[in-house]
Amino acid sequence: MDISVVIPLYNEEESLPELASWIERVMQANGFTYEILFIDDGSTDSSFEVVKSLASSNPNIRAVSFSRNYGKSPALNIGFRKAKGDVVITMDADLQDSPDEIPELYRMITEDGYDLVSGWKKKRYDPLSKTLPTKLFNATARAVSGIKNLHDFNCGLKAYRSAVVKHIEVYGDMHRYIPYLAKNAGYHKIGEKVVHHQARKYGHTKFGLDRFVNGYLDLGTLWFQSKFGVKPMHIFGLLGSLMFIIGFLAVLVVLILKIISINSDTYYFYVTNSVYFYLSLAAMIMGLQFFLSGFIGELITRNSPERNNYLVAEEI
Ligand code: UDP
Ligand code: MG
């Protein structure tokens, strides 16, 4: 099978028939063998009924329905597990992404040899409250992930070589950083294609302003995992040692001042009046906590089934 189109959807009943027939048209025009995987993320409208009736008239349509709303990432993840195509294409259900991009995305994966091609909504039809923070978000994501050539990490329209989606796990809200997940899994050929974007035709956006806060927190998590995931002591041990050194120096200062004051008749030094005393206390306590976090992290890592998962590129 050439292509699996994975479509997460949450209350998108109005868009689905148009989307399905548009994809069908594109696939037939290009002679692709394909499947459309609708992942109903616990919709409360009649989305899944619509999907069922679409599937009854097109055998290429498959669908999964969650029992409740889990989020876009879990929806994508189950789609990735089920996809059978050589190339997997993800797309939003709200008709903001155009199925006409599919043939070129497919070509970039199969002929240009990309592992992942991300859409870039160069001209966006979204409110300013969304486009402006998005620019900042992407700049940070580029800097942290080291994927310098991507302008639009969170574009719903993306294409993957099948192996990529089988080796990454999208969970929580990590769909915003799939290129980063792919890079961490060892897939480096990440490309970009400018795609057409349309204003939402039906319904409304499913993400609020908290997307930006959560987005930044998740980026921090991913960065930490990719750097220290299997060696937490390297960071916590370093921070802990630093704290101990600061604490030790502060104690030394307190001690010296005390000795000086004991030998002087004019000057009396109260340890508890000194800023260095408090500095040493705080630094020692923090240092101990860093070390403990490191040890606990190491114990957890040692028991993690992921600790020895490597992706072998070639073997002779
Ligand atoms: N979506 C989903 N589960 C959710 C939220 C969204 O499956 O909990 C789907 C939604 O139906 C759409 C896609 O994810 O197909 C992108 O969502 P949306 O268009 O609301 O995001 P935006 O375009 O505003 O970033
Ligand atoms: Mg949308």
Side-chain angles (χ1 to χ4, degrees), residues 41 69-76 137 153-154 169-178 181 206-208 210-219 221-222:
D41 184 16
N69 178 235
Y70 284 101
K72 189 176 177 182
S73 293
L76 285 174
F137 162 88
F153 274 72
N154 189 18
E169 193 179 339
V170 195
Y171 65 96
D173 270 340
M174 293 301 181
H175 61 269
R176 300 194 176 93
Y177 300 110
I178 297 184
L181 291 176
K206 306 300 184 304
F207 296 99
D210 58 349
R211 70 167 79 196
F212 297 110
V213 182
N214 295 340
Y216 275 102
L217 294 176
D218 284 343
L219 188 61
T221 305
L222 273 189

Side-chain angles (χ1 to χ4, degrees), residues 81-124:
R81 300 285 83 82
K82 294 197 176 289
K84 294 193 194 119
D86 302 332
V87 171
V88 177
I89 292 183
T90 59
M91 179 180 280
D92 288 353
D94 53 4
L95 291 169
Q96 289 196 273
D97 303 324
S98 159
D100 289 331
E101 311 283 355
I102 291 176
E104 175 62 12
L105 287 171
Y106 178 79
R107 197 198 62 75
M108 288 176 80
I109 299 282
T110 52
E111 287 175 30
D112 296 348
Y114 284 106
D115 294 320
L116 187 166
V117 179
S118 180
W120 174 16
K121 295 161 288 189
K122 198 167 183 179
K123 175 129 189 55
R124 283 185 77 137

Side-chain angles (χ1 to χ4, degrees), residues 67-313:
S67 56
R68 71 167 172 85
N69 178 235
Y70 284 101
K72 189 176 177 182
S73 293
L76 285 174
N77 196 57
I78 196 167
F80 286 166
R81 300 285 83 82
K82 294 197 176 289
K84 294 193 194 119
D86 302 332
V87 171
V88 177
I89 292 183
T90 59
M91 179 180 280
D92 288 353
D94 53 4
L95 291 169
Q96 289 196 273
D97 303 324
S98 159
D100 289 331
E101 311 283 355
I102 291 176
E104 175 62 12
L105 287 171
Y106 178 79
R107 197 198 62 75
M108 288 176 80
I109 299 282
T110 52
E111 287 175 30
D112 296 348
Y114 284 106
D115 294 320
L116 187 166
V117 179
S118 180
W120 174 16
K121 295 161 288 189
K122 198 167 183 179
K123 175 129 189 55
R124 283 185 77 137
Y125 294 89
D126 278 321
L128 194 72
S129 62
K130 194 157 133 190
T131 51
L132 209 66
T134 298
K135 281 219 164 66
L136 208 75
F137 162 88
N138 279 308
T140 320
R142 266 197 302 278
V144 174
S145 69
I147 307 172
K148 303 271 191 276
N149 60 333
L150 282 198
H151 293 86
D152 192 0
F153 274 72
N154 189 18
C155 183
L157 184 56
K158 285 189 173 62
Y160 309 83
R161 180 182 308 289
S162 171
V164 177
V165 303
K166 301 297 180 194
H167 285 107
I168 58 175
E169 193 179 339
V170 195
Y171 65 96
D173 270 340
M174 293 301 181
H175 61 269
R176 300 194 176 93
Y177 300 110
I178 297 184
Y180 195 10
L181 291 176
K183 186 188 166 205
N184 288 343
Y187 296 100
H188 290 280
K189 253 201 123 195
I190 297 174
E192 184 168 67
K193 175 184 188 309
V194 175
V195 295
H196 286 284
H197 185 239
Q198 300 181 63
R200 216 180 217 282
K201 207 161 161 186
Y202 310 102
H204 56 86
T205 177
K206 306 300 184 304
F207 296 99
L209 280 176
D210 58 349
R211 70 167 79 196
F212 297 110
V213 182
N214 295 340
Y216 275 102
L217 294 176
D218 284 343
L219 188 61
T221 305
L222 273 189
W223 172 82
F224 183 83
Q225 275 177 2
S226 73
K227 288 262 188 244
F228 307 108
V230 288
K231 41 195 174 197
M233 201 48 163
H234 286 195
I235 180 73
F236 288 116
L238 178 74
L239 290 173
S241 308
L242 247 147
M243 285 297 151
F244 275 130
I245 291 173
I246 293 173
F248 179 71
L249 290 178
V251 169
L252 220 62
V253 173
V254 174
L255 217 71
I256 290 170
L257 289 177
K258 188 75 194 175
I259 291 170
I260 293 175
S261 102
I262 288 172
N263 296 318
S264 140
D265 335 312
T266 49
Y267 164 66
Y268 195 80
F269 174 71
Y270 287 99
V271 166
T272 50
N273 276 355
S274 165
V275 63
Y276 292 105
F277 174 69
Y278 297 101
L279 189 68
S280 67
L281 270 184
M284 293 284 187
I285 293 173
M286 281 172 71
L288 186 66
Q289 287 186 339
F290 277 129
F291 265 105
L292 284 178
S293 310
F295 281 125
I296 292 172
E298 289 288 337
L299 290 181
I300 294 173
T301 312
R302 190 163 163 60
N303 288 303
S304 150
E306 300 284 313
R307 70 184 180 281
N308 262 328
N309 271 0
Y310 313 107
L311 194 69
V312 176

